[in-house]
C-alpha cells in the first residue's frame, strides 16, 4: 500500500532554528548561547513544592481553565502590578506554555481571509499559527539598529481585514521595549477598528535600568480588547515545565477556552499548585530583574575587547551583537562559522524575519552560569 502524500499546510516551514542550533552545538561541543533557556537550576523550594503537591494527590486532571488557586494568585498579581482586575473564575486561562496560549488565541479569532499584524523580527511560532488558521501575516518591520515601531507604517498596514495585532514586549529577539508613548499610539491607531490585540509579555519581569514594563493591562481602552499572555518558565527558570496563561475580558476568554479545551484541555496540576504558592508569595518576582541585569552587564564586560558591538538591551535575557567589524557574511553563514570554528552557538536574526534583510546581527542568550559566560566570552574575544 502506498503511503498517501498530502500537500503540506506549512510547506516553507522546517525544523525551528532553535532546535537546529542546539543540535549543532551538541554535535560540535559548542557553548550553547542560542536557545533561550538557563543552564542553571530553578529554586529548590519550587521543586519541593511540586513534589509535595504530587504526594498530596494532585496527579489527575486539573480544571480546564486552570487550578483556582493559581488563577486567583494571578488575578491579584496583575491587579497589583498593572491596575487591571481580571475575574479569576472567567478571565484567566492556564495554558501549556505561552506558545499554546498564543496558538489557542490565534485559532479562536483568526479565520480564513483575516489579516494579522506581526512586528518582525518576531518569534517563529507566530506566523505559522496565523497561516494554519487561514490568516495572512502582515509584517511591520522593526529595523536594525534601533528596532523601534514606525506607527505610520502600522497605520498603513491596517485594513478592513485586520483581525488581530500581536505585540511582543520586552521583545525577543531585539531586547527592546515599547514605551508609554507607543501604547498611546497603538490605542489611537486602533480607535474605531474591530481588532483584537494580543500581548506576548513572557519577559514582563526581566526589564533593566529602572524601566517599567508597559503591559496592555495598564491601559483600560487597550485591555478591553486585549489578550495578555505570559508564562512562568522565564520568571522561575523552568522553561521545560511549559506553563503559561492568558488574561482577557470574559467574552475573549470564553472563545480562547473553547479552543484550549481541545488542544491540551488542562495543564499539570501539581506544578500549577506550586506556582500558585510562589506567585502569591512574591507577585513582583523581586530580584529577578537585578539578577538578569547583572548577567547582561557581566556578559558585556566579558566581551570587551572583542570586535562584536553590543546593541542596547532593555529587557529579556538576550543580547544582540553586531558582527559587521568582523565579516560581511550573512548572519546565517557567520553563525554557522562561529559555531563550527569558534565553538559558540548563537541565533541569526534572519530566522525571525521574512522578506527583509536582517543586518549583521546575532542573538546571544545570557541566561547562563557565570562560568558558561566566561568561557563563551573568551572564545568570542578571539574571533
Amino acid at each position: 500500500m502506498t503511503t498517501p502524500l498530502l500537500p503540506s499546510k506549512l510547506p516553507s516551514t522546517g525544523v525551528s532554528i532553535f532546535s537546529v542550533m542546539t543540535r549543532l552545538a551538541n554535535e560540535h561541543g559548542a557553548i550553547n548561547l542560542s536557545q533561550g533557556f538557563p543552564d542553571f537550576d530553578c529554586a529548590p523550594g519550587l521543586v519541593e513544592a511540586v513534589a509535595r503537591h504530587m504526594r498530596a494527590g494532585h496527579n489527575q486532571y486539573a480544571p480546564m481553565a486552570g487550578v483556582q488557586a493559581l488563577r486567583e494568585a494571578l488575578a491579584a498579581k496583575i491587579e497589583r502590578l498593572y491596575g487591571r482586575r481580571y475575574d479569576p473564575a472567567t478571565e484567566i486561562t492556564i495554558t501549556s506554555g505561552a506558545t499554546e496560549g498564543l496558538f489557542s488565541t490565534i485559532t479562536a479569532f483568526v479565520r480564513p481571509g483575516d489579516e494579522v499584524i506581526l512586528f518582525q523580527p518576531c518569534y517563529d511560532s507566530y506566523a505559522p499559527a496565523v497561516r494554519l488558521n487561514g490568516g495572512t501575516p502582515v509584517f511591520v518591520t522593526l529595523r536594525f539598529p534601533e528596532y523601534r515601531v514606525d506607527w505610520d507604517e502600522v497605520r498603513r498596514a491596517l485594513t478592513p481585514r485586520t483581525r488581530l495585532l500581536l505585540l511582543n514586549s520586552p521583545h525577543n529577539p531585539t531586547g527592546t521595549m515599547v514605551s508609554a508613548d507607543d501604547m498611546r499610539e497603538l490605542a489611537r491607531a486602533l480607535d474605531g477598528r474591530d481588532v483584537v490585540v494580543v500581548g506576548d509579555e513572557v519577559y514582563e519581569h526581566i526589564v533593566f535600568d529602572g524601566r517599567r514594563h508597559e503591559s496592555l493591562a495598564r491601559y483600560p481602552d487597550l485591555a478591553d480588547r486585549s489578550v495578555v499572555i505570559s508564562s512562568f518558565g522565564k520568571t522561575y527558570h523552568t522553561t521545560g515545565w511549559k506553563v503559561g496563561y492568558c488574561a482577557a475580558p470574559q467574552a475573549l476568554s470564553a472563545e480562547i477556552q473553547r479552543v484550549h479545551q481541545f488542544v491540551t484541555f488542562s495543564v499539570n496540576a501539581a506544578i500549577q499548585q506550586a506556582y500558585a504558592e510562589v506567585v502569591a508569595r512574591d507577585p513582583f518576582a523581586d530580584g529577578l530583574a537585578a539578577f538578569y541585569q547583572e548577567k547582561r552587564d557581566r556578559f558585556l564586560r566579558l566581551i570587551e575587547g572583542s570586535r562584536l558591538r553590543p546593541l542596547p538591551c532593555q529587557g529579556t535575557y538576550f543580547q544582540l551583537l553586531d558582527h559587521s567589524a568582523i565579516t560581511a557574511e550573512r548572519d546565517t553563514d557567520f553563525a554557522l562559522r562561529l559555531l563550527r570554528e569558534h565553538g559558540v552557538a548563537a541565533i541569526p536574526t534572519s530566522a525571525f524575519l521574512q522578506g527583509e534583510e536582517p543586518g549583521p546581527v546575532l542573538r546571544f542568550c545570557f541566561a547562563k552560569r557565570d562560568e558558561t559566560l566566561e568561557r563563551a566570552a573568551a572564545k568570542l574575544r578571539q574571533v
Side-chain angles (χ1 to χ4, degrees), residues 195-266:
V195 175
V196 175
V197 182
V198 178
D200 179 351
E201 302 186 9
V202 298
Y203 297 98
E204 61 179 320
H205 295 297
I206 308 177
V207 298
F208 306 138
D209 305 313
R211 289 181 174 83
R212 187 181 85 158
H213 169 53
E214 299 299 334
S215 174
L216 289 164
R218 290 189 187 275
Y219 297 87
D221 289 348
L222 288 172
D224 286 345
R225 63 161 78 215
S226 295
V227 181
V228 177
I229 299 177
S230 193
S231 75
F232 304 95
K234 307 298 191 296
T235 301
Y236 300 112
H237 319 311
T238 51
T239 60
W241 293 6
K242 293 296 292 178
V243 182
Y245 60 90
C246 303
Q250 183 175 354
L252 300 182
S253 288
E255 296 305 315
I256 294 166
Q257 290 179 10
R258 292 181 202 276
V259 176
H260 162 72
Q261 67 182 334
F262 297 117
V263 176
T264 61
F265 181 71
S266 66

Side-chain angles (χ1 to χ4, degrees), residues 54-168:
M54 286 181 173
R55 288 191 294 268
H58 296 287
N59 301 303
Q60 310 309 324
Y61 293 123
M64 180 271 288
V67 166
Q68 184 67 19
L70 180 55
R71 287 182 283 149
E72 290 175 353
L74 287 170
K77 165 200 156 172
I78 294 168
E79 185 173 23
R80 287 184 64 184
L81 267 67
Y82 309 127
R84 175 81 175 195
R85 177 66 182 181
Y86 291 95
D87 184 341
T90 60
E91 297 186 324
I92 293 179
T93 308
I94 309 302
T95 60
S96 181
T99 302
E100 190 252 308
L102 286 160
F103 184 84
S104 292
T105 298
I106 291 168
T107 300
F109 300 115
V110 175
R111 293 166 176 77
D114 287 344
E115 295 176 349
V116 177
I117 292 181
L118 303 176
F119 295 94
Q120 66 168 356
C122 61
Y123 190 62
D124 66 345
S125 78
Y126 297 170
V130 172
R131 293 189 176 107
L132 283 171
N133 286 285
T136 300
V138 176
F139 295 103
V140 173
T141 302
L142 312 178
R143 290 180 171 80
F144 168 82
E146 290 86 7
Y147 298 109
R148 305 312 306 170
V149 179
D150 182 335
W151 290 104
D152 288 334
E153 188 173 347
V154 174
R155 282 183 278 271
R156 289 193 295 270
L158 288 163
T159 76
R161 298 171 67 181
T162 304
R163 173 62 52 209
L164 189 147
L165 179 147
L166 204 165
L167 183 69
N168 171 214

